[in-house]
Amino acid sequence: MDRKFFTKIFVSVSLVSFIGVFSVAYVYQRYFKEVLTNNEIYRVQRSIDQTALNLDNQLYRIVNNVHYFFEYSGNGNRLMKLAEDGTAQGSEDREWAENALGAFRLQYSSELESAFFLLRDRANGGKETLYYDSELDPVPEMNYRSQSWYRDFVSGRSRFWSEPTEELLFFQDRSLKTIYLSMSRYGVQGRDGILVVRLNGKMFSDAFRLLATEDLNIEMLDASGHLVYTSAGSFTPSDDDLVMESTMSKSAFQVRAHIKRTFIDDAVRKIQSVQPYIVFLIVLMTLLISLILSLSLSRPIKKLLRLMKRAELGDLEARFNGRFADEVGILGNGFNRMLENMTASIERAHDAEVKKFGAEMKQKDATLLAMQSQINPHFLYNTLEVINCQAILHEVPSVSRMSKALADFFRYSIDNPKAEVGLSVEAAHVGTYLDIQGERYPDIEIDMDGVDGFGHYPIVKLTLQPVVENAFKYAFTGERDYYLRIYAEDEGDSAYSIFVEDNGEGMSEEALDRLNRRLLEPPDDGAVEERKDAEGERAREGIGLLNVHRRIRLRYGEPYGLEVSESMSGGLLVRILLPKRGTRDENLDR
């Protein structure tokens, strides 16, 4: 049923997609060649217009520079006043003119081939002097009086743009055909002058170099229709050629492009050759889109069916993703509400059973609490106090001392709510513990004088007593003289250390290393048990030392805690590093 539903959707979507794609392809094919032809013509026309615009701006800049050099910078006035005699002033004026013309030419060396100035003195019989850059080399057989710019000068015409010419005056004039830019002045204090600039024809070929091909010929004409530049090489004109024109707005030159129609047709055919691949790609994409759409429609329904089967098997946690807002989403939301109602009904029934069971447990807890209240701490203290009184009445001082010490021991451990106390308070508690142990081990020498003067520093409650107890439990197991020494030392401005030293049985080096490694490990959840080393001796790494070390780390952090080493007498030396300033959180260890 699912497969049939998917097949229907896939065929429907594919059919609609194919009809639309092939309809568009049919219409597109009818107008394809015409559209491509117009696009190719438009592309070439835009390229020609852009190139013409760039060249027009370049020529406009050159014209402005020539005007500025001759009219606005003051050079024109000084050129008209040059001294032509052989005096020192004449030599100085010639040197200045040559330098000025040379600097102007070199500034635009890629656009200008030569620049020179002709001065004619009417008062001196029409004497003419030609000034030019000293870097220019005149062609000996060339007579400037035969050139077109000179004829215009003699006739008194002021024509800025000359007609295209192949005339040259200097060896540096490389272009076969070029244009002169000239500016003339007449009758200035009896003198006539003309500034002539010869354009570099390579400027035109460079501008159209990327456009000109065997199938595309570029021509440039001046305002009078004279041919300035042509890119024709092997180009053969034909009546079937396409002609495109672009007029330069600033220089009034005209660019004319002759394009062989076969060039456009070839470009269109190249694009048409790709068309079958494009159609194939469109068909493939249509199938892929149809498949994705079909899956997106059928997949939610399949998912809902799978969830229903899971619910039938008892999985009430199954939920339909509610991100769909269509009819399938409405069905899924109804399915979710149905399962939620079923789950709520089951939970209500379960809560009723739990409440019933809880009532029975409370009754049992009340009975247990009544039994426990009979052995609370106050009852324990009162009992020890009665024992102490009876010991005094019957003159048994040892029993009196032990019962009082035991009462003080439990009162410190149970009634004192503080997690952090002063070292003097902790030392007093250890003294109580040692009084109790003194009845059992009367021969062990105890020295606690070393903690005097450090009593105001903080310490975690029940830190020293487990360490001392560890010594009694493992160190004093032989039949020789033992001692236990407790003392403190400064560790700089912020810390101090407490040392618990014994001369007991000690530990092997391997056991010491193992214990110190365990002190550096992070705390685990399992209980720490006593171990045996490889030699069979008992290793003193039980609950007491590790528990004390981790309680200190939990309260003060690193580097505070315990470090164990061998004492000078062969026993054990436990160093407890603590801060001199504690923390005010008194409920941390409760």
Side-chain angles (χ1 to χ4, degrees), residues 454 487-491 495-499 575-578:
F454 293 84
Y487 59 95
E489 292 181 358
D490 268 319
E491 298 287 350
Y496 75 101
S497 292
I498 303 174
F499 296 89
R575 174 177 176 259
I576 307 172
L577 180 64
L578 295 166

Side-chain angles (χ1 to χ4, degrees), residues 77-93:
N77 294 331
R78 185 168 180 181
L79 287 171
M80 295 298 296
K81 297 176 182 179
L82 292 175
E84 298 180 281
D85 51 17
T87 64
Q89 182 63 38
S91 300
E92 182 179 346
D93 287 352

Side-chain angles (χ1 to χ4, degrees), residues 209-221:
R209 175 173 52 86
L210 298 179
L211 287 177
T213 62
E214 294 181 356
D215 300 309
L216 176 61
N217 179 42
I218 304 293
E219 295 178 346
M220 191 174 74
L221 297 87

Side-chain angles (χ1 to χ4, degrees), residues 420-423 454-460 463 489-498 549 551-562 575-584:
E420 182 181 273
V421 297
L423 179 58
F454 293 84
H456 62 284
Y457 290 145
I459 187 172
V460 177
T463 294
E489 292 181 358
D490 268 319
E491 298 287 350
D493 295 335
S494 60
Y496 75 101
S497 292
I498 303 174
H549 173 74
R551 289 174 60 233
I552 293 174
R553 282 286 174 91
L554 284 173
R555 189 167 185 86
Y556 301 129
E558 295 186 7
Y560 303 107
L562 271 62
R575 174 177 176 259
I576 307 172
L577 180 64
L578 295 166
K580 290 185 177 180
R581 296 185 63 181
T583 172
R584 295 182 179 180

Side-chain angles (χ1 to χ4, degrees), residues 171-243:
F171 285 109
Q172 284 77 10
D173 296 334
R174 299 177 297 275
S175 303
L176 295 178
K177 180 178 286 189
T178 187
I179 296 176
Y180 285 119
L181 304 182
S182 60
M183 299 188 69
S184 305
R185 286 189 184 181
Y186 297 97
V188 179
Q189 296 179 356
R191 290 183 169 189
D192 301 327
I194 182 172
L195 173 68
V196 183
V197 175
R198 191 178 196 271
L199 294 181
N200 190 347
K202 189 175 180 294
M203 178 173 56
F204 306 129
S205 61
D206 287 345
F208 299 105
R209 175 173 52 86
L210 298 179
L211 287 177
T213 62
E214 294 181 356
D215 300 309
L216 176 61
N217 179 42
I218 304 293
E219 295 178 346
M220 191 174 74
L221 297 87
D222 63 8
S224 302
H226 299 101
L227 185 63
V228 177
Y229 163 80
T230 180
S231 64
S234 58
F235 184 86
T236 304
S238 172
D239 295 337
D240 196 34
D241 293 344
L242 297 175
V243 180

Side-chain angles (χ1 to χ4, degrees), residues 470 473-474 527-532 538-544:
N470 195 69
K473 188 174 182 180
Y474 298 111
V528 182
E529 300 180 353
E530 295 179 340
R531 304 178 180 179
K532 289 185 178 181
R538 300 192 54 93
R540 300 186 335 197
E541 48 180 300
I543 295 175

